[in-house]
Amino acid sequence: MEQLTDYQQHIENAIDWVWKLLPNLVTAILILVVGLWVVKFINRLVRKFFERKDYDETLESFLQSFIGITLKVILFVLVVTQLGVKSSSLVAIVGAAGLAVGLALQGSLANFAGGVLILLFKPFKVGDFISAQGVDGTVKEITIFTTKLNTFGNQVAIIPNGQLSNSNIINYNVEDTRRDKIDVGIGYGSNIKKAKDLLLQICADHEGILQEPVPEVYVGELADSAVTLSLRFWAKNEDFWAAHFYVLEELKQRFDDAGIEIPFPQRVVHSVD
């Protein structure tokens, strides 16, 4: 009988606890729902603010990501506090959890630090074409943890900021112009001067190839089966690839027309009877 009375007492205590918690629970749910709407609204305002101002796109994407995460953390603290967790206890819990999470997520913290370094030192920005971590592409977005690149094939490569901030990066857009180097082999019986003149004429015929600095052609190597000519010219970034492919196509066509041989590997097989 006493055991039944104890059960009833526990049930009554549980019901009383639920009724006491219910107002705070309802309020916490309301805070969560309204808070998520407010966070979304603030993010929209921040995005519109950046659209009206001519800020660096790299800074914009980073700050939008950082502001969104910060607001959600504040909302989480408000909801938990409303459920009755004391601020001092919450600070202790967050501190302990932060230490555990920090040890478990060292990579994420390194990526965050890398994002800050990228933002401060600006080795690249949104819209730059870079080569890093074995990937070539145009920077699409820089968040607090990762950087997204659009590759030649229009795939999206996602690279952790920690790796980017601690590795070599080639930024092809820092300078306005780029120098190209194209090597072509001609036969030993071909006229070197004529081949060099043709290459320089090709450069002169394309408006995207700069004539200052002057295009140059050198004999780069006396190889086993060919004389290697090295053509070097400058072009603006926006004209670089068009000029590169133009030269490749034209040199083949004009060398053929001029009777200049471009050797290719051949294998001679002798049969012994």
Side-chain angles (χ1 to χ4, degrees), residues 98-132:
L99 178 60
V101 172
L103 293 174
L105 300 178
Q106 294 182 37
S108 296
L109 295 177
N111 291 332
F112 175 79
V116 174
L117 291 175
I118 291 172
L119 182 64
L120 290 176
F121 295 105
K122 296 182 179 179
F124 55 83
K125 62 181 184 298
V126 173
D128 283 351
F129 185 83
I130 68 172
S131 177

Side-chain angles (χ1 to χ4, degrees), residues 6-47:
D6 291 339
Y7 286 149
Q8 291 177 345
Q9 185 64 39
H10 288 319
I11 293 174
E12 290 176 0
N13 291 338
I15 293 174
D16 291 340
W17 180 81
V18 170
W19 279 109
K20 289 179 181 179
L21 180 64
L22 189 59
N24 290 338
L25 181 60
V26 172
T27 305
I29 293 174
L30 289 175
I31 292 175
L32 178 62
V33 174
V34 175
L36 289 175
W37 181 86
V38 172
V39 169
K40 186 176 180 180
F41 178 74
I42 293 176
N43 285 335
R44 190 182 304 118
L45 289 179
V46 171
R47 185 165 53 253

Side-chain angles (χ1 to χ4, degrees), residues 124-190:
F124 55 83
K125 62 181 184 298
V126 173
D128 283 351
F129 185 83
I130 68 172
S131 177
Q133 295 293 305
V135 179
D136 298 337
T138 302
V139 180
K140 178 181 180 181
E141 183 181 4
I142 301 174
T143 66
I144 62 174
F145 294 118
T146 62
T147 294
K148 297 180 180 179
L149 304 183
N150 260 46
T151 65
F152 275 121
N154 200 34
Q155 293 93 14
V156 176
I158 302 175
I159 305 176
N161 287 335
Q163 296 180 14
L164 280 178
S165 63
N166 289 285
S167 64
N168 297 328
I169 300 173
I170 300 176
N171 190 331
Y172 294 95
N173 289 102
V174 172
E175 304 293 341
D176 293 332
T177 58
R178 291 173 60 182
R179 186 175 71 170
D180 198 0
K181 178 177 179 290
I182 296 178
D183 294 331
V184 57
I186 63 174
Y188 273 93
S190 300

Side-chain angles (χ1 to χ4, degrees), residues 211-265:
Q211 300 306 308
E212 182 62 40
V214 178
E216 299 172 316
V217 184
Y218 300 100
V219 175
E221 183 184 7
L222 298 177
D224 292 338
S225 59
V227 177
T228 302
L229 299 181
S230 181
L231 170 64
R232 303 179 184 184
F233 62 85
W234 293 81
K236 293 182 178 180
N237 280 323
E238 58 268 24
D239 300 327
F240 180 82
W241 288 112
H244 175 83
F245 293 124
Y246 169 84
V247 171
L248 289 177
E249 182 176 346
E250 283 295 312
L251 75 84
K252 176 63 171 68
Q253 182 64 49
R254 298 193 191 191
F255 277 15
D256 287 347
D257 294 342
I260 296 175
E261 178 191 5
I262 301 178
F264 56 89

